[in-house]
Amino acid sequence: MKLDLHIHTTASDGQYTPAEIAAKAEQLKLSVFAITDHDTVAGIAEGREAAKRLGIRMIPGIEISTFYKEEIHMLGYHIEETNQALISQCEAFASEREGRGRRVCDYLNGIGIAVDWDEILEIAAGANISRPHFAAYLQKHGYVTERKEAFKKYLDTPEFHSATDRKLQTPCEAIDLIHAAGGKAVLAHPGLLHMPLEEQRELILRCREHGLDGLECHYGKHTDEQTAHYLDLAKELGLIVTAGSDYHGEKVKPDVQMGMEVNMDDLEPGL
Ligand code: AMP
Ligand code: MN
Ligand code: MN
Ligand code: MN
């Protein structure tokens, strides 16, 4: 089965509009795709409309940035994007992101990189301000040749984080929010966590006690060993299994393709 339940659009830091993503999903003959932008549901209506026109299945989603020991991403699926609590919280996320973006400007200016806030707004073009917008700026102005390099040199250093970190929800708060909006909560890309496996297990158990529904066992960057480990864990803990590439477009993440080929037996058909 070919599908992709983890895709970013221009509503956050992706390269393509939701309608373009729907068209790609159709070209790739995906059985189903989900739009999961960072901290926003702004791309869902357009994606749904385009998917309907093309006769393909789209699941409305979100990827919420949370923090517990490290940054942890919580995916929400089948959320009602008109839910008032969800909309209000997304507005709060957007304003936290804007505040953080301004601190990023100050930080970069302070280390000798002249960043113009208005140009960042232009690059973001109405989307939630996120680090890839700064990476695009640094590339455009010749500070780096590749966007990856922008993270390595400037946007993912300890100094960067201590100067710019924003307040994030806890994973359990995000689970509550997703449930309040009628959705299912799935821990994103567990294989990218930095904490050791035992601590991961503890985190996943605590989240499950709080209602976590699933685990993104199939993820573009998971090794076969990681996939097998998380599939076992999901089975043991009774969590549903999802699959996503984390597609952002070639300009943003050149090494990530859209679409995942997975064994149907692994997946929760209801999702
Ligand atoms: P933000 O949510 O604003 O902190 O930005 C995080 C986003 O930056 C992630 O969702 C990725 O799309 C991107 N990102 C993070 N680290 C890297 C990296 N090392 N190389 C390229 N993109 C990255
Ligand atoms: Mn991203
Ligand atoms: Mn993520
Ligand atoms: Mn993502």
Side-chain angles (χ1 to χ4, degrees):
M1 183 181 187
K2 209 169 172 198
L3 80 173
D4 200 331
L5 300 182
H6 189 155
I7 301 172
H8 294 271
T9 77
T10 46
S12 65
D13 58 352
Q15 178 183 342
Y16 297 105
T17 63
E20 286 168 339
I21 289 295
K24 279 179 184 291
E26 203 246 340
Q27 279 159 18
L28 292 168
K29 303 204 181 331
L30 302 188
S31 323
V32 54
F33 74 103
I35 288 178
T36 54
D37 278 306
H38 297 288
D39 300 335
T40 180
V41 291
I44 290 175
E46 180 187 323
R48 180 187 285 117
E49 185 66 25
K52 195 173 161 196
R53 218 170 34 239
L54 297 163
I56 51 171
R57 234 185 116 202
M58 186 216 69
I59 294 177
I62 189 167
E63 181 178 24
I64 302 177
S65 299
T66 75
F67 191 89
Y68 172 73
K69 292 186 181 178
E70 62 179 287
E71 196 166 310
I72 289 165
H73 290 179
M74 195 61 70
L75 293 159
Y77 290 112
H78 287 299
I79 42 158
E80 291 151 16
E81 79 270 20
T82 51
N83 176 274
Q84 201 44 55
L86 182 62
I87 290 171
S88 304
Q89 190 55 54
C90 287
E91 282 166 4
F93 290 148
S95 100
E96 281 283 343
R97 279 185 171 278
E98 184 181 332
R100 198 262 308 239
R102 289 180 183 276
R103 292 198 294 283
V104 172
C105 261
D106 292 344
Y107 168 76
L108 291 172
N109 286 329
I111 60 169
I113 297 171
V115 183
D116 173 27
W117 176 243
D118 288 338
E119 200 177 331
I120 295 295
L121 291 179
E122 244 167 66
I123 291 171
N128 267 350
I129 308 291
S130 61
R131 283 184 285 163
H133 301 130
F134 285 92
Y137 179 97
L138 292 169
Q139 186 186 36
K140 181 178 165 201
H141 290 273
Y143 290 103
V144 293
T145 48
E146 274 191 290
R147 297 202 194 177
K148 235 188 193 159
E149 192 190 340
F151 282 87
K152 203 157 178 226
K153 274 192 175 158
Y154 304 109
L155 304 175
D156 202 14
T157 64
E159 300 77 35
F160 172 87
H161 287 293
S162 66
T164 67
D165 271 355
R166 68 196 163 105
K167 195 178 171 304
L168 295 175
Q169 286 202 320
T170 65
C172 288
E173 285 174 320
I175 292 170
D176 286 343
L177 182 65
I178 289 162
H179 285 164
K184 295 225 188 293
V186 173
L187 180 68
H189 42 63
L192 299 191
L193 291 170
H194 296 98
M195 62 179 80
L197 288 181
E198 267 164 48
E199 277 178 52
Q200 288 185 20
R201 189 187 166 83
E202 222 169 274
L203 163 77
I204 293 166
L205 280 171
R206 282 181 61 167
C207 286
R208 193 191 59 156
E209 276 166 27
H210 208 82
L212 179 74
D213 299 285
L215 212 49
E216 189 179 44
C217 299
H218 296 280
Y219 180 69
K221 291 207 168 134
H222 281 171
T223 63
D224 290 348
E225 203 188 353
Q226 284 177 319
T227 305
H229 168 75
Y230 293 113
L231 283 171
D232 282 347
L233 193 60
K235 201 167 183 185
E236 183 200 332
L237 303 180
L239 295 168
I240 58 174
V241 171
T242 70
S245 70
D246 213 354
Y247 185 69
H248 283 66
E250 303 69 28
K251 271 194 193 162
V252 184
K253 288 198 179 176
D255 49 345
V256 178
Q257 310 284 313
M258 191 169 139
M260 303 273 291
E261 191 76 57
V262 289
N263 187 342
M264 184 65 187
D265 297 341
D266 289 345
L267 294 168
E268 174 65 34
L271 194 80

